[in-house]
Amino acid sequence: MSRLNSVPPVEEAMQHTFQKGIQYALAGDYLNAIELFSQALLIAPEDADIYGNRCVVRTRSGDRAGAIADCQKAAELYKRQGNLARYQYALRALKRLHAS
């Protein structure tokens, strides 16, 4: 029996949760967005993009300390994964967060 969908179920669940978090964030529902990004991180704890998005939402919701922690984690993961462009972006975001 062949699988029609080549995406593993765990990856599919993470992507669904992440995309739903993006939808909530765009709608301004930051609490639900944070919750969904947190759930996605339980599935994919090394996904720097999820930390980056949760950083943005935490910033918008007024959780500066949480945003800084998420941005630091995103930067660490981007650096470790060799994504230097996003690493530099995360460092600039951190600088702005510390200045505010």
Side-chain angles (χ1 to χ4, degrees):
M1 186 161 95
S2 68
R3 285 187 56 130
L4 295 176
N5 186 353
S6 63
V7 177
V10 171
E11 174 69 18
E12 188 175 321
M14 188 279 298
Q15 283 297 321
H16 174 75
T17 304
F18 177 72
Q19 290 303 319
K20 195 73 172 161
I22 295 286
Q23 291 173 358
Y24 278 119
L26 292 172
D29 187 347
Y30 302 133
L31 292 179
N32 278 319
I34 291 167
E35 176 61 29
L36 286 166
F37 290 143
S38 297
Q39 288 176 21
L41 284 168
L42 292 174
I43 300 167
E46 299 294 308
D47 192 314
D49 289 338
I50 300 171
Y51 281 103
N53 280 282
R54 194 171 70 173
C55 169
V56 170
V57 174
R58 283 184 163 171
T59 300
R60 291 180 182 168
S61 73
D63 179 6
R64 187 171 162 270
I68 289 171
D70 281 347
C71 197
Q72 287 173 329
K73 183 66 174 180
E76 170 193 321
L77 291 170
Y78 284 134
K79 184 177 182 183
R80 188 178 335 144
Q81 296 163 1
N83 191 335
L84 297 182
R86 292 208 179 194
Y87 170 67
Q88 291 297 322
Y89 180 84
L91 291 180
R92 287 190 301 274
L94 268 172
K95 186 176 180 179
R96 286 190 304 270
L97 283 166
H98 283 295
S100 63

